[in-house]
């Protein structure tokens, strides 16, 4: 789901979109990680020549770009990181390639990754507001048998602090609760019960 907004950026610019996961570059075999970095950027450069640009998105980049050194040193991961830094330094202005990455652990990234010319612009993504939560709920409600009495706008008001993943989990748990009741429809009580489970965890009798 994280890649969808970046894909929309590439679609709006009418250029190719290239996706990779940070953990996909961390391999136990020597040379595999750096080779994958080179392959990704080579393909992006080739498509940028044909389509006047390209967007590269690296999800969970902290798996690749953690601070080097320390007790958890991994030479293969560091080799892949060095290859990434070299690839980003090698961009020419006419190549029209934009590299975007996502992480929940900005504090763990190697300082070299955040130097000028690399990932210099940081855009925090906050939790959705009420209107955003309602829109997310409507997306995840498609295909689910909601009772006519279910008010998604009201659910959005009651779920302040929920992330998009929490809201998706909320409706999935609601469907499970409805199935346990052998009901064909998800009612408001199912959603309230799922809300407690998502927010507070599973209840236990003692």
């Amino acid at each position: 789901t994280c890649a969808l907004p970046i894909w929309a950026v590439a679609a709006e610019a009418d250029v190719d979109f290239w996706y990779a996961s940070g953990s996909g570059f961390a391999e136990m075999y020597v040379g595999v990680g750096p080779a994958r970095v080179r392959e990704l950027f080579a393909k992006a450069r080739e498509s940028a020549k044909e389509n006047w640009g390209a967007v590269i998105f690296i999800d969970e980049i902290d798996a690749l770009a953690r601070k080097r050194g320390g007790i958890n040193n991994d030479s293969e991961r560091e080799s892949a990181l060095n290859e990434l830094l070299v690839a980003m330094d090698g961009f020419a202005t006419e190549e029209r390639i934009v590299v975007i990455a996502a992480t929940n652990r900005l504090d763990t990234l190697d300082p070299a990754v955040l130097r000028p010319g690399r990932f210099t612009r940081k855009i925090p993504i906050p939790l959705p507001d009420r209107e955003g939560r309602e829109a997310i709920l409507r997306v995840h409600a498609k295909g689910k048998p909601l009772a006519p009495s279910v008010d998604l706008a009201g659910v959005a008001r009651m779920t302040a602090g929920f992330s998009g993943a929490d809201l998706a989990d909320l409706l999935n748990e609601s469907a499970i609760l409805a199935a346990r009741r052998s009901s064909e429809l998800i009612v408001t009580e199912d959603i309230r019960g799922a809300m407690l489970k998502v927010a507070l965890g599973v209840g236990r009798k003692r």
Side-chain angles (χ1 to χ4, degrees), residues 74-85:
D74 183 344
S75 59
E76 178 62 14
R77 178 183 58 80
E78 289 190 4
S79 297
L81 172 56
N82 291 334
E83 190 65 38
L84 173 66
L85 298 176

Side-chain angles (χ1 to χ4, degrees), residues 9 19 31 75 80 104 128 136 140 159 170 177 191:
V9 171
Y19 169 84
S75 59
N104 292 323
I136 293 171
H140 291 291
T159 50
L170 170 67
L177 291 176
I191 294 179

Side-chain angles (χ1 to χ4, degrees), residues 1-20 53-59 98-102:
T1 56
C2 184
L4 291 177
I6 314 303
W7 178 84
V9 171
E12 186 69 21
D14 196 22
V15 297
D16 284 349
F17 173 71
W18 297 90
Y19 169 84
V55 173
I56 298 175
F57 175 59
I58 304 175
D59 196 10
V98 175
V99 184
I100 304 174

Side-chain angles (χ1 to χ4, degrees), residues 12-203:
E12 186 69 21
D14 196 22
V15 297
D16 284 349
F17 173 71
W18 297 90
Y19 169 84
S21 172
S23 59
F25 298 111
E27 291 286 343
M28 62 181 293
Y29 302 106
V30 176
V32 174
R36 287 181 176 173
V37 174
R38 287 192 296 270
E39 180 183 7
L40 173 64
F41 279 80
K43 289 181 178 178
R45 282 188 169 95
E46 191 64 29
S47 67
K49 292 179 183 178
E50 299 176 359
N51 300 298
W52 296 93
V55 173
I56 298 175
F57 175 59
I58 304 175
D59 196 10
E60 301 295 346
I61 194 173
D62 50 278
L64 167 65
R66 286 196 301 271
K67 294 176 182 177
R68 288 169 285 189
I71 58 175
N72 295 322
N73 181 39
D74 183 344
S75 59
E76 178 62 14
R77 178 183 58 80
E78 289 190 4
S79 297
L81 172 56
N82 291 334
E83 190 65 38
L84 173 66
L85 298 176
V86 170
M88 295 186 69
D89 284 341
F91 284 144
T93 55
E94 66 272 11
E95 285 184 316
R96 299 185 179 90
I97 296 177
V98 175
V99 184
I100 304 174
T103 180
N104 292 323
R105 299 293 307 278
L106 186 64
D107 58 307
T108 66
L109 296 184
D110 192 276
V113 177
L114 304 176
R115 286 177 185 162
R118 292 168 183 164
F119 295 108
T120 53
R121 185 181 295 266
K122 306 175 191 68
I123 305 175
I125 307 297
L127 293 172
D129 58 10
R130 183 187 58 78
E131 293 181 359
R133 291 194 300 274
E134 182 179 350
I136 293 171
L137 285 168
R138 294 193 183 282
V139 169
H140 291 291
K142 291 180 180 178
K144 290 184 172 62
L146 296 180
S149 60
V150 173
D151 178 19
L152 291 180
V155 175
R157 286 193 296 270
M158 295 187 294
T159 50
F162 278 47
S163 66
D166 290 334
L167 295 171
D169 192 28
L170 170 67
L171 290 182
N172 289 335
E173 290 293 338
S174 302
I176 292 173
L177 291 176
R180 287 176 178 172
R181 294 189 300 102
S182 299
S183 173
E184 296 182 356
L185 295 176
I186 300 172
V187 298
T188 304
E189 289 303 317
D190 295 323
I191 294 179
R192 288 176 178 168
M195 195 181 306
L196 290 174
K197 183 177 180 181
V198 172
L200 303 177
V202 180

